[in-house]
Amino acid sequence: MENRLKKIASIKTDFPTKFGIPRQSGLVDKLEGRIIFEPEFRKEEAVRGLDQFSHIWLLWGFSGSEKENWSATVRPPRLGGNKRIGVFATRSPFRPNKIGLSCVRLERMEKDKNLGIVLVVMGADLMDGTPIYDIKPYIPVADCHKEAWGGYTEKTKEYQLQVKFPEELLIKLPPNKREVIFEVLAQDPRPAYINDAERVYGMVFAGYNIKFKVEEGVLQVCKVEQQF
């Protein structure tokens, strides 16, 4: 009989939609997430010893994927969205099983009177409400391979946009969100196959709709509106 994954927790983040989420965990280290366990798993003994580790692995579900069917090949965004690569050579969400894997920094563990132990993590690349299926410690001696080669990602790992965010717009954001939004936008939230200098994009982050244009490697923020 096939085993079914059981949701053990969900994560709270500043991204209510997929648009704008960094394409990999750790690219924006200051992004905070809060892992809330399901009632069945709110047991302190279940996380005993986890605070001895600096990083943890999250196994989670692509809850925001729109396609029902998987494809043998996909178009990685950092290759311009035109070149096709085998799905198992990418981290595309359109897979036979919609399972994601992220390594995040465990910032701290908090005890909430209603929610039990809450894990505060940094660098997560997950949408708000994403289901978590498992948590494992990151073990450097086994998980870190300094000789590893990154394939086609070696050509694109340094890619970033220059971000221009007018001060009169930046101050509309809460102080603790201002620095991190620069790093999020620098990762280039746009679909890789769209490169229209006149197009205005909108990204919802931390309760604010941030609108911007991109031209010749420069991202210009043009409006910030609070969501209600």
PDB file of all heavy atoms in Angstrom, residues 7 15 20 34 42 47 49-50 55 58 77 84 91 103 113-114 138 140 159 161 172 175 185:
ATOM      1  N   LYS A   7       1.212  16.063   6.516  1.00  0.00           N
ATOM      2  CA  LYS A   7       1.662  17.416   6.803  1.00  0.00           C
ATOM      3  C   LYS A   7       1.968  17.539   8.293  1.00  0.00           C
ATOM      4  O   LYS A   7       1.114  17.277   9.136  1.00  0.00           O
ATOM      5  CB  LYS A   7       0.568  18.413   6.402  1.00  0.00           C
ATOM      6  CG  LYS A   7       0.846  19.852   6.775  1.00  0.00           C
ATOM      7  CD  LYS A   7      -0.346  20.726   6.403  1.00  0.00           C
ATOM      8  CE  LYS A   7      -0.212  22.145   6.928  1.00  0.00           C
ATOM      9  NZ  LYS A   7      -1.396  22.965   6.604  1.00  0.00           N
ATOM     10  N   PHE A  15       5.509  36.108   1.568  1.00  0.00           N
ATOM     11  CA  PHE A  15       5.114  35.936   0.175  1.00  0.00           C
ATOM     12  C   PHE A  15       3.762  35.225   0.070  1.00  0.00           C
ATOM     13  O   PHE A  15       3.698  33.997   0.176  1.00  0.00           O
ATOM     14  CB  PHE A  15       6.163  35.127  -0.581  1.00  0.00           C
ATOM     15  CG  PHE A  15       7.493  35.811  -0.711  1.00  0.00           C
ATOM     16  CD1 PHE A  15       8.538  35.484   0.140  1.00  0.00           C
ATOM     17  CD2 PHE A  15       7.693  36.780  -1.672  1.00  0.00           C
ATOM     18  CE1 PHE A  15       9.768  36.110   0.020  1.00  0.00           C
ATOM     19  CE2 PHE A  15       8.923  37.417  -1.797  1.00  0.00           C
ATOM     20  CZ  PHE A  15       9.970  37.088  -0.947  1.00  0.00           C
ATOM     21  N   GLY A  20       8.070  36.525  -6.988  1.00  0.00           N
ATOM     22  CA  GLY A  20       9.035  37.245  -6.164  1.00  0.00           C
ATOM     23  C   GLY A  20       9.825  36.366  -5.213  1.00  0.00           C
ATOM     24  O   GLY A  20      10.839  36.806  -4.664  1.00  0.00           O
ATOM     25  N   ARG A  34       8.456  31.382   9.711  1.00  0.00           N
ATOM     26  CA  ARG A  34       8.105  30.795  11.004  1.00  0.00           C
ATOM     27  C   ARG A  34       7.376  29.481  10.748  1.00  0.00           C
ATOM     28  O   ARG A  34       6.319  29.457  10.106  1.00  0.00           O
ATOM     29  CB  ARG A  34       7.224  31.754  11.810  1.00  0.00           C
ATOM     30  CG  ARG A  34       7.918  33.094  12.093  1.00  0.00           C
ATOM     31  CD  ARG A  34       6.980  34.075  12.788  1.00  0.00           C
ATOM     32  NE  ARG A  34       6.612  33.624  14.111  1.00  0.00           N
ATOM     33  CZ  ARG A  34       7.362  33.799  15.213  1.00  0.00           C
ATOM     34  NH1 ARG A  34       8.524  34.424  15.104  1.00  0.00           N
ATOM     35  NH2 ARG A  34       6.961  33.364  16.375  1.00  0.00           N
ATOM     36  N   ARG A  42       2.990  19.057  17.947  1.00  0.00           N
ATOM     37  CA  ARG A  42       3.454  20.111  18.856  1.00  0.00           C
ATOM     38  C   ARG A  42       3.962  19.506  20.158  1.00  0.00           C
ATOM     39  O   ARG A  42       3.425  19.731  21.248  1.00  0.00           O
ATOM     40  CB  ARG A  42       2.323  21.112  19.121  1.00  0.00           C
ATOM     41  CG  ARG A  42       1.972  21.931  17.894  1.00  0.00           C
ATOM     42  CD  ARG A  42       0.774  22.829  18.102  1.00  0.00           C
ATOM     43  NE  ARG A  42       0.397  23.467  16.840  1.00  0.00           N
ATOM     44  CZ  ARG A  42      -0.696  24.193  16.659  1.00  0.00           C
ATOM     45  NH1 ARG A  42      -1.537  24.380  17.675  1.00  0.00           N
ATOM     46  NH2 ARG A  42      -0.964  24.721  15.477  1.00  0.00           N
ATOM     47  N   VAL A  47      11.450  17.937  18.890  1.00  0.00           N
ATOM     48  CA  VAL A  47      12.513  18.819  18.388  1.00  0.00           C
ATOM     49  C   VAL A  47      13.671  18.916  19.376  1.00  0.00           C
ATOM     50  O   VAL A  47      14.545  19.767  19.225  1.00  0.00           O
ATOM     51  CB  VAL A  47      11.963  20.234  18.076  1.00  0.00           C
ATOM     52  CG1 VAL A  47      10.996  20.183  16.910  1.00  0.00           C
ATOM     53  CG2 VAL A  47      11.303  20.853  19.305  1.00  0.00           C
ATOM     54  N   GLY A  49      17.039  18.744  20.867  1.00  0.00           N
ATOM     55  CA  GLY A  49      18.362  18.645  20.260  1.00  0.00           C
ATOM     56  C   GLY A  49      18.505  19.365  18.938  1.00  0.00           C
ATOM     57  O   GLY A  49      19.627  19.547  18.452  1.00  0.00           O
ATOM     58  N   LEU A  50      17.389  19.801  18.351  1.00  0.00           N
ATOM     59  CA  LEU A  50      17.471  20.470  17.054  1.00  0.00           C
ATOM     60  C   LEU A  50      18.200  21.801  17.144  1.00  0.00           C
ATOM     61  O   LEU A  50      18.858  22.235  16.186  1.00  0.00           O
ATOM     62  CB  LEU A  50      16.067  20.687  16.482  1.00  0.00           C
ATOM     63  CG  LEU A  50      15.982  21.139  15.025  1.00  0.00           C
ATOM     64  CD1 LEU A  50      16.587  20.102  14.086  1.00  0.00           C
ATOM     65  CD2 LEU A  50      14.541  21.434  14.619  1.00  0.00           C
ATOM     66  N   HIS A  55      21.668  24.815  10.774  1.00  0.00           N
ATOM     67  CA  HIS A  55      20.826  24.754   9.587  1.00  0.00           C
ATOM     68  C   HIS A  55      19.994  23.477   9.602  1.00  0.00           C
ATOM     69  O   HIS A  55      20.391  22.468  10.204  1.00  0.00           O
ATOM     70  CB  HIS A  55      21.666  24.800   8.309  1.00  0.00           C
ATOM     71  CG  HIS A  55      22.341  26.109   8.077  1.00  0.00           C
ATOM     72  ND1 HIS A  55      23.405  26.557   8.846  1.00  0.00           N
ATOM     73  CD2 HIS A  55      22.102  27.107   7.172  1.00  0.00           C
ATOM     74  CE1 HIS A  55      23.801  27.753   8.417  1.00  0.00           C
ATOM     75  NE2 HIS A  55      23.030  28.099   7.411  1.00  0.00           N
ATOM     76  N   LEU A  58      14.268  21.288   4.997  1.00  0.00           N
ATOM     77  CA  LEU A  58      12.811  21.239   4.967  1.00  0.00           C
ATOM     78  C   LEU A  58      12.377  20.463   3.726  1.00  0.00           C
ATOM     79  O   LEU A  58      12.826  20.755   2.624  1.00  0.00           O
ATOM     80  CB  LEU A  58      12.214  22.648   4.906  1.00  0.00           C
ATOM     81  CG  LEU A  58      12.599  23.633   6.016  1.00  0.00           C
ATOM     82  CD1 LEU A  58      11.940  24.987   5.748  1.00  0.00           C
ATOM     83  CD2 LEU A  58      12.212  23.101   7.380  1.00  0.00           C
ATOM     84  N   PRO A  77      14.647  29.217 -15.495  1.00  0.00           N
ATOM     85  CA  PRO A  77      14.604  30.674 -15.672  1.00  0.00           C
ATOM     86  C   PRO A  77      15.970  31.296 -15.943  1.00  0.00           C
ATOM     87  O   PRO A  77      16.096  32.198 -16.766  1.00  0.00           O
ATOM     88  CB  PRO A  77      14.035  31.160 -14.337  1.00  0.00           C
ATOM     89  CG  PRO A  77      13.251  30.009 -13.819  1.00  0.00           C
ATOM     90  CD  PRO A  77      14.015  28.795 -14.233  1.00  0.00           C
ATOM     91  N   ARG A  84      15.623  23.930 -22.975  1.00  0.00           N
ATOM     92  CA  ARG A  84      14.980  22.872 -22.203  1.00  0.00           C
ATOM     93  C   ARG A  84      16.012  21.931 -21.577  1.00  0.00           C
ATOM     94  O   ARG A  84      16.990  21.543 -22.220  1.00  0.00           O
ATOM     95  CB  ARG A  84      14.010  22.077 -23.080  1.00  0.00           C
ATOM     96  CG  ARG A  84      12.723  22.845 -23.362  1.00  0.00           C
ATOM     97  CD  ARG A  84      11.633  21.942 -23.897  1.00  0.00           C
ATOM     98  NE  ARG A  84      10.341  22.633 -23.912  1.00  0.00           N
ATOM     99  CZ  ARG A  84       9.500  22.667 -22.880  1.00  0.00           C
ATOM    100  NH1 ARG A  84       9.819  22.061 -21.750  1.00  0.00           N
ATOM    101  NH2 ARG A  84       8.365  23.314 -22.963  1.00  0.00           N
ATOM    102  N   ARG A  91      15.203  22.111 -10.434  1.00  0.00           N
ATOM    103  CA  ARG A  91      14.382  22.142  -9.227  1.00  0.00           C
ATOM    104  C   ARG A  91      12.999  22.726  -9.537  1.00  0.00           C
ATOM    105  O   ARG A  91      12.371  23.352  -8.694  1.00  0.00           O
ATOM    106  CB  ARG A  91      15.089  22.947  -8.137  1.00  0.00           C
ATOM    107  CG  ARG A  91      16.402  22.298  -7.725  1.00  0.00           C
ATOM    108  CD  ARG A  91      17.001  22.927  -6.492  1.00  0.00           C
ATOM    109  NE  ARG A  91      18.220  22.254  -6.111  1.00  0.00           N
ATOM    110  CZ  ARG A  91      18.917  22.542  -5.010  1.00  0.00           C
ATOM    111  NH1 ARG A  91      18.502  23.511  -4.198  1.00  0.00           N
ATOM    112  NH2 ARG A  91      20.023  21.886  -4.719  1.00  0.00           N
ATOM    113  N   CYS A 103      17.288  24.118   2.260  1.00  0.00           N
ATOM    114  CA  CYS A 103      18.159  24.212   3.427  1.00  0.00           C
ATOM    115  C   CYS A 103      18.051  25.630   3.968  1.00  0.00           C
ATOM    116  O   CYS A 103      18.297  26.599   3.246  1.00  0.00           O
ATOM    117  CB  CYS A 103      19.603  23.899   3.040  1.00  0.00           C
ATOM    118  SG  CYS A 103      20.745  23.957   4.438  1.00  0.00           S
ATOM    119  N   LYS A 113       2.381  29.897  23.713  1.00  0.00           N
ATOM    120  CA  LYS A 113       1.410  29.225  24.588  1.00  0.00           C
ATOM    121  C   LYS A 113       0.293  28.543  23.809  1.00  0.00           C
ATOM    122  O   LYS A 113      -0.323  27.598  24.317  1.00  0.00           O
ATOM    123  CB  LYS A 113       0.829  30.218  25.598  1.00  0.00           C
ATOM    124  CG  LYS A 113       0.009  31.343  24.990  1.00  0.00           C
ATOM    125  CD  LYS A 113      -0.555  32.240  26.085  1.00  0.00           C
ATOM    126  CE  LYS A 113      -1.411  33.365  25.497  1.00  0.00           C
ATOM    127  NZ  LYS A 113      -1.973  34.240  26.556  1.00  0.00           N
ATOM    128  N   ASN A 114       0.023  29.021  22.596  1.00  0.00           N
ATOM    129  CA  ASN A 114      -1.029  28.422  21.778  1.00  0.00           C
ATOM    130  C   ASN A 114      -0.502  27.491  20.696  1.00  0.00           C
ATOM    131  O   ASN A 114      -1.149  26.503  20.343  1.00  0.00           O
ATOM    132  CB  ASN A 114      -1.867  29.521  21.126  1.00  0.00           C
ATOM    133  CG  ASN A 114      -2.609  30.378  22.134  1.00  0.00           C
ATOM    134  OD1 ASN A 114      -3.165  29.871  23.108  1.00  0.00           O
ATOM    135  ND2 ASN A 114      -2.603  31.679  21.915  1.00  0.00           N
ATOM    136  N   TYR A 138      20.753  19.658   9.149  1.00  0.00           N
ATOM    137  CA  TYR A 138      21.823  19.742   8.151  1.00  0.00           C
ATOM    138  C   TYR A 138      23.116  19.340   8.850  1.00  0.00           C
ATOM    139  O   TYR A 138      23.499  19.944   9.868  1.00  0.00           O
ATOM    140  CB  TYR A 138      21.916  21.171   7.610  1.00  0.00           C
ATOM    141  CG  TYR A 138      23.051  21.396   6.639  1.00  0.00           C
ATOM    142  CD1 TYR A 138      22.865  21.245   5.267  1.00  0.00           C
ATOM    143  CD2 TYR A 138      24.320  21.767   7.089  1.00  0.00           C
ATOM    144  CE1 TYR A 138      23.895  21.456   4.371  1.00  0.00           C
ATOM    145  CE2 TYR A 138      25.366  21.975   6.203  1.00  0.00           C
ATOM    146  CZ  TYR A 138      25.150  21.818   4.852  1.00  0.00           C
ATOM    147  OH  TYR A 138      26.182  22.025   3.972  1.00  0.00           O
ATOM    148  N   PRO A 140      27.013  19.053   8.329  1.00  0.00           N
ATOM    149  CA  PRO A 140      28.085  19.485   7.416  1.00  0.00           C
ATOM    150  C   PRO A 140      28.995  18.369   6.924  1.00  0.00           C
ATOM    151  O   PRO A 140      29.352  18.337   5.742  1.00  0.00           O
ATOM    152  CB  PRO A 140      28.861  20.515   8.249  1.00  0.00           C
ATOM    153  CG  PRO A 140      27.853  21.039   9.218  1.00  0.00           C
ATOM    154  CD  PRO A 140      26.980  19.873   9.560  1.00  0.00           C
ATOM    155  N   TYR A 159      24.339  36.249 -11.130  1.00  0.00           N
ATOM    156  CA  TYR A 159      23.379  37.171 -11.753  1.00  0.00           C
ATOM    157  C   TYR A 159      22.578  37.937 -10.709  1.00  0.00           C
ATOM    158  O   TYR A 159      21.972  37.351  -9.812  1.00  0.00           O
ATOM    159  CB  TYR A 159      22.440  36.387 -12.655  1.00  0.00           C
ATOM    160  CG  TYR A 159      21.328  37.230 -13.250  1.00  0.00           C
ATOM    161  CD1 TYR A 159      21.550  37.979 -14.393  1.00  0.00           C
ATOM    162  CD2 TYR A 159      20.071  37.286 -12.651  1.00  0.00           C
ATOM    163  CE1 TYR A 159      20.542  38.759 -14.949  1.00  0.00           C
ATOM    164  CE2 TYR A 159      19.056  38.062 -13.195  1.00  0.00           C
ATOM    165  CZ  TYR A 159      19.298  38.795 -14.339  1.00  0.00           C
ATOM    166  OH  TYR A 159      18.302  39.573 -14.874  1.00  0.00           O
ATOM    167  N   LEU A 161      20.327  42.047 -10.324  1.00  0.00           N
ATOM    168  CA  LEU A 161      19.969  43.351 -10.869  1.00  0.00           C
ATOM    169  C   LEU A 161      20.413  44.449  -9.911  1.00  0.00           C
ATOM    170  O   LEU A 161      20.528  44.240  -8.712  1.00  0.00           O
ATOM    171  CB  LEU A 161      18.443  43.441 -11.046  1.00  0.00           C
ATOM    172  CG  LEU A 161      17.777  42.492 -12.043  1.00  0.00           C
ATOM    173  CD1 LEU A 161      16.266  42.674 -11.990  1.00  0.00           C
ATOM    174  CD2 LEU A 161      18.291  42.728 -13.453  1.00  0.00           C
ATOM    175  N   LYS A 172       7.746  53.719   3.122  1.00  0.00           N
ATOM    176  CA  LYS A 172       6.402  53.179   3.312  1.00  0.00           C
ATOM    177  C   LYS A 172       6.444  51.768   3.898  1.00  0.00           C
ATOM    178  O   LYS A 172       5.458  51.303   4.475  1.00  0.00           O
ATOM    179  CB  LYS A 172       5.644  53.168   1.986  1.00  0.00           C
ATOM    180  CG  LYS A 172       5.316  54.549   1.440  1.00  0.00           C
ATOM    181  CD  LYS A 172       4.479  54.444   0.166  1.00  0.00           C
ATOM    182  CE  LYS A 172       4.095  55.818  -0.363  1.00  0.00           C
ATOM    183  NZ  LYS A 172       3.221  55.729  -1.565  1.00  0.00           N
ATOM    184  N   PRO A 175      10.471  49.294   8.870  1.00  0.00           N
ATOM    185  CA  PRO A 175      11.935  49.359   8.906  1.00  0.00           C
ATOM    186  C   PRO A 175      12.626  48.007   8.770  1.00  0.00           C
ATOM    187  O   PRO A 175      13.668  47.905   8.118  1.00  0.00           O
ATOM    188  CB  PRO A 175      12.215  49.995  10.276  1.00  0.00           C
ATOM    189  CG  PRO A 175      11.002  50.823  10.545  1.00  0.00           C
ATOM    190  CD  PRO A 175       9.858  50.055   9.986  1.00  0.00           C
ATOM    191  N   LEU A 185      14.511  41.871  -4.611  1.00  0.00           N
ATOM    192  CA  LEU A 185      14.355  42.443  -5.947  1.00  0.00           C
ATOM    193  C   LEU A 185      15.598  42.228  -6.808  1.00  0.00           C
ATOM    194  O   LEU A 185      15.505  42.047  -8.022  1.00  0.00           O
ATOM    195  CB  LEU A 185      14.039  43.937  -5.841  1.00  0.00           C
ATOM    196  CG  LEU A 185      12.678  44.287  -5.222  1.00  0.00           C
ATOM    197  CD1 LEU A 185      12.562  45.790  -5.009  1.00  0.00           C
ATOM    198  CD2 LEU A 185      11.532  43.778  -6.079  1.00  0.00           C
TER     199      LEU A 185
END
